[in-house]
Amino acid sequence: MNLSESARAVFAVLAASGTATRPQLAAGAGLSKPTVSTAVAELEGAGLAACSGTVSGSTGRSAAVYALGPAAGAVLAVDLGPTDTQVRGCALDGTLLARGTGPRADSADTVRAALDALPAGAPLRAVVVAVGDVTARDREGTGMRPATEKAGPAFDAMAVALPPDVPVHLENNVNCAALAELHQGAARDRDSFGYLRIGVGIGLGIVIGGRVLRGANGAAGELARLPYPWDDGREPRREALEERMGSRSLLRRAAEAWQGADGPCPRAPERLFALAEEGHPAARAVVGHHAADIGRLAAAVVAVLDPGLIVLGGAIGAFPQLLPGVRDELARLSWPTEVVSSMVGDSGTVAGASRLAVAHGIETVTGGVRVRH
């Protein structure tokens, strides 16, 4: 949009704060009060800001309070998960406007429903799609797409529901969840940590200095590519470690360990962990062994990053029964490191994607004024 530099700066501050008076906008943007008054008038004329009321100060004088206007628009965040798709539509101040969840096979329908629920006439400024994959430039070099077949077909099936001419940004799902832990979860008071996700697959979100580390290929934290196994007489296979650590292998090992006297073998991780919590011997043994495996993986992370904090998340990793075993094995093998369970749960990825979408949406309006993710 063709906004003045001061109007762009004021808009970014207003979007970050939600509501603000002119003195607050001046302080946030580092501009003089007269310059802010001119910028606010420009934003009001473009429908990007609007007076939402007044507030009385300590001297008794009233000050106008401003919020985003109807032309500021909205953004969309999509978590293209392994089984389900979660979608959130948000205003540029982060206010939730729409949400939806559906099977991954019906992701296009879930996206369309969320788009239809956004305020009529609100321009869509940006879309962020979280995928369980590394992202790369497409063959035409015009946009991003999943780098492998892990998420490529699912992304293509969902993308038909997205409006044309709207910027679409892809981000790794574990990175998005790490952002959610940083801003509203278990790592709120930390600027460096590792978010270790254990579920159907495995992955690591690396936050250093309050920012996600993505790497030269966008593949930082792709633990599935760690060589495994790595000993005499056995050659490492690509993504063999993910096969070993994923939920399917956990249930398979439970089936192998189960005896007739143990009762029905659990067919879902939730049941396995519930039995372990109840003290079932076979379930406790399987969960304990898996906790030790995760502790060894955490030790590999600590050996490279020394992050001080590991947050365990994912469909398997978030079970608190794993914590004692992970902590013990990590303490045996590596440096002192705090280990805690995720606090954002299943919604962490879409929450982190929403933050990214809001930041990209603001940058779209302001022509590139950077917003910290």
mmCIF file of all heavy atoms in Angstrom, residues 100-120:
data_model
loop_
_atom_site.group_PDB
_atom_site.id
_atom_site.type_symbol
_atom_site.label_atom_id
_atom_site.label_comp_id
_atom_site.label_asym_id
_atom_site.label_seq_id
_atom_site.Cartn_x
_atom_site.Cartn_y
_atom_site.Cartn_z
ATOM 1 N N GLY A 100 -11.442 -23.562 12.631
ATOM 2 C CA GLY A 100 -12.060 -24.792 12.164
ATOM 3 C C GLY A 100 -11.083 -25.943 12.241
ATOM 4 O O GLY A 100 -9.859 -25.748 12.225
ATOM 5 N N THR A 101 -11.622 -27.141 12.361
ATOM 6 C CA THR A 101 -10.822 -28.362 12.391
ATOM 7 C C THR A 101 -11.531 -29.427 11.568
ATOM 8 O O THR A 101 -12.759 -29.541 11.618
ATOM 9 C CB THR A 101 -10.645 -28.879 13.832
ATOM 10 O OG1 THR A 101 -10.027 -27.866 14.619
ATOM 11 C CG2 THR A 101 -9.777 -30.133 13.857
ATOM 12 N N GLY A 102 -10.767 -30.176 10.795
ATOM 13 C CA GLY A 102 -11.342 -31.245 9.991
ATOM 14 C C GLY A 102 -10.296 -32.256 9.613
ATOM 15 O O GLY A 102 -9.093 -32.040 9.823
ATOM 16 N N PRO A 103 -10.716 -33.395 9.059
ATOM 17 C CA PRO A 103 -9.752 -34.399 8.623
ATOM 18 C C PRO A 103 -8.796 -33.830 7.572
ATOM 19 O O PRO A 103 -9.182 -32.987 6.764
ATOM 20 C CB PRO A 103 -10.638 -35.506 8.028
ATOM 21 C CG PRO A 103 -11.993 -35.275 8.593
ATOM 22 C CD PRO A 103 -12.113 -33.805 8.812
ATOM 23 N N ARG A 104 -7.579 -34.312 7.591
ATOM 24 C CA ARG A 104 -6.587 -33.819 6.627
ATOM 25 C C ARG A 104 -7.065 -34.023 5.193
ATOM 26 O O ARG A 104 -6.812 -33.175 4.329
ATOM 27 C CB ARG A 104 -5.265 -34.543 6.850
ATOM 28 C CG ARG A 104 -4.180 -34.198 5.836
ATOM 29 C CD ARG A 104 -2.840 -34.633 6.342
ATOM 30 N NE ARG A 104 -1.827 -34.651 5.310
ATOM 31 C CZ ARG A 104 -0.523 -34.575 5.525
ATOM 32 N NH1 ARG A 104 -0.081 -34.447 6.750
ATOM 33 N NH2 ARG A 104 0.346 -34.633 4.538
ATOM 34 N N ALA A 105 -7.784 -35.105 4.938
ATOM 35 C CA ALA A 105 -8.282 -35.361 3.582
ATOM 36 C C ALA A 105 -9.274 -34.306 3.122
ATOM 37 O O ALA A 105 -9.472 -34.116 1.919
ATOM 38 C CB ALA A 105 -8.930 -36.743 3.518
ATOM 39 N N ASP A 106 -9.916 -33.601 4.069
ATOM 40 C CA ASP A 106 -10.901 -32.573 3.737
ATOM 41 C C ASP A 106 -10.365 -31.181 4.030
ATOM 42 O O ASP A 106 -11.130 -30.255 4.325
ATOM 43 C CB ASP A 106 -12.191 -32.802 4.533
ATOM 44 C CG ASP A 106 -12.829 -34.144 4.240
ATOM 45 O OD1 ASP A 106 -12.656 -34.639 3.113
ATOM 46 O OD2 ASP A 106 -13.480 -34.704 5.147
ATOM 47 N N SER A 107 -9.048 -31.003 3.961
ATOM 48 C CA SER A 107 -8.443 -29.734 4.358
ATOM 49 C C SER A 107 -8.949 -28.553 3.538
ATOM 50 O O SER A 107 -9.121 -27.451 4.069
ATOM 51 C CB SER A 107 -6.917 -29.826 4.266
ATOM 52 O OG SER A 107 -6.508 -30.151 2.943
ATOM 53 N N ALA A 108 -9.200 -28.756 2.255
ATOM 54 C CA ALA A 108 -9.693 -27.652 1.425
ATOM 55 C C ALA A 108 -11.046 -27.160 1.930
ATOM 56 O O ALA A 108 -11.300 -25.942 1.988
ATOM 57 C CB ALA A 108 -9.780 -28.091 -0.032
ATOM 58 N N ASP A 109 -11.909 -28.075 2.320
ATOM 59 C CA ASP A 109 -13.226 -27.685 2.839
ATOM 60 C C ASP A 109 -13.087 -26.947 4.167
ATOM 61 O O ASP A 109 -13.821 -25.974 4.427
ATOM 62 C CB ASP A 109 -14.115 -28.911 3.021
ATOM 63 C CG ASP A 109 -14.499 -29.555 1.702
ATOM 64 O OD1 ASP A 109 -14.484 -28.852 0.672
ATOM 65 O OD2 ASP A 109 -14.802 -30.766 1.699
ATOM 66 N N THR A 110 -12.174 -27.390 5.012
ATOM 67 C CA THR A 110 -11.958 -26.725 6.298
ATOM 68 C C THR A 110 -11.458 -25.301 6.085
ATOM 69 O O THR A 110 -11.882 -24.365 6.776
ATOM 70 C CB THR A 110 -10.952 -27.523 7.144
ATOM 71 O OG1 THR A 110 -11.399 -28.874 7.277
ATOM 72 C CG2 THR A 110 -10.795 -26.912 8.527
ATOM 73 N N VAL A 111 -10.570 -25.116 5.118
ATOM 74 C CA VAL A 111 -10.053 -23.783 4.808
ATOM 75 C C VAL A 111 -11.168 -22.893 4.248
ATOM 76 O O VAL A 111 -11.310 -21.722 4.640
ATOM 77 C CB VAL A 111 -8.876 -23.883 3.824
ATOM 78 C CG1 VAL A 111 -8.513 -22.513 3.259
ATOM 79 C CG2 VAL A 111 -7.668 -24.511 4.503
ATOM 80 N N ARG A 112 -11.957 -23.425 3.347
ATOM 81 C CA ARG A 112 -13.044 -22.620 2.762
ATOM 82 C C ARG A 112 -14.027 -22.163 3.837
ATOM 83 O O ARG A 112 -14.500 -21.012 3.821
ATOM 84 C CB ARG A 112 -13.772 -23.431 1.691
ATOM 85 C CG ARG A 112 -12.963 -23.676 0.430
ATOM 86 C CD ARG A 112 -13.836 -24.277 -0.673
ATOM 87 N NE ARG A 112 -13.028 -24.659 -1.834
ATOM 88 C CZ ARG A 112 -12.611 -25.898 -2.076
ATOM 89 N NH1 ARG A 112 -12.943 -26.884 -1.246
ATOM 90 N NH2 ARG A 112 -11.881 -26.163 -3.143
ATOM 91 N N ALA A 113 -14.347 -23.048 4.771
ATOM 92 C CA ALA A 113 -15.286 -22.689 5.835
ATOM 93 C C ALA A 113 -14.730 -21.555 6.693
ATOM 94 O O ALA A 113 -15.463 -20.638 7.090
ATOM 95 C CB ALA A 113 -15.595 -23.911 6.695
ATOM 96 N N ALA A 114 -13.439 -21.591 6.986
ATOM 97 C CA ALA A 114 -12.832 -20.530 7.781
ATOM 98 C C ALA A 114 -12.805 -19.216 7.010
ATOM 99 O O ALA A 114 -13.064 -18.144 7.573
ATOM 100 C CB ALA A 114 -11.422 -20.928 8.202
ATOM 101 N N LEU A 115 -12.502 -19.280 5.737
ATOM 102 C CA LEU A 115 -12.506 -18.070 4.912
ATOM 103 C C LEU A 115 -13.899 -17.455 4.862
ATOM 104 O O LEU A 115 -14.059 -16.227 4.942
ATOM 105 C CB LEU A 115 -12.012 -18.389 3.503
ATOM 106 C CG LEU A 115 -10.518 -18.700 3.354
ATOM 107 C CD1 LEU A 115 -10.218 -19.221 1.950
ATOM 108 C CD2 LEU A 115 -9.681 -17.460 3.649
ATOM 109 N N ASP A 116 -14.912 -18.289 4.745
ATOM 110 C CA ASP A 116 -16.291 -17.786 4.693
ATOM 111 C C ASP A 116 -16.703 -17.132 6.009
ATOM 112 O O ASP A 116 -17.601 -16.267 6.025
ATOM 113 C CB ASP A 116 -17.261 -18.927 4.364
ATOM 114 C CG ASP A 116 -17.128 -19.421 2.930
ATOM 115 O OD1 ASP A 116 -16.552 -18.683 2.108
ATOM 116 O OD2 ASP A 116 -17.585 -20.546 2.644
ATOM 117 N N ALA A 117 -16.066 -17.533 7.115
ATOM 118 C CA ALA A 117 -16.425 -16.991 8.426
ATOM 119 C C ALA A 117 -15.724 -15.666 8.736
ATOM 120 O O ALA A 117 -16.066 -15.016 9.725
ATOM 121 C CB ALA A 117 -16.090 -18.010 9.520
ATOM 122 N N LEU A 118 -14.774 -15.257 7.902
ATOM 123 C CA LEU A 118 -14.107 -13.978 8.123
ATOM 124 C C LEU A 118 -15.060 -12.823 7.819
ATOM 125 O O LEU A 118 -15.998 -12.987 7.039
ATOM 126 C CB LEU A 118 -12.857 -13.874 7.238
ATOM 127 C CG LEU A 118 -11.720 -14.853 7.545
ATOM 128 C CD1 LEU A 118 -10.594 -14.686 6.529
ATOM 129 C CD2 LEU A 118 -11.203 -14.649 8.966
ATOM 130 N N PRO A 119 -14.848 -11.663 8.426
ATOM 131 C CA PRO A 119 -15.730 -10.522 8.179
ATOM 132 C C PRO A 119 -15.825 -10.195 6.697
ATOM 133 O O PRO A 119 -14.817 -10.181 5.982
ATOM 134 C CB PRO A 119 -15.059 -9.387 8.956
ATOM 135 C CG PRO A 119 -14.282 -10.072 10.031
ATOM 136 C CD PRO A 119 -13.801 -11.357 9.425
ATOM 137 N N ALA A 120 -17.043 -9.957 6.241
ATOM 138 C CA ALA A 120 -17.260 -9.649 4.823
ATOM 139 C C ALA A 120 -16.486 -8.401 4.437
ATOM 140 O O ALA A 120 -16.505 -7.390 5.139
ATOM 141 C CB ALA A 120 -18.750 -9.458 4.566
#
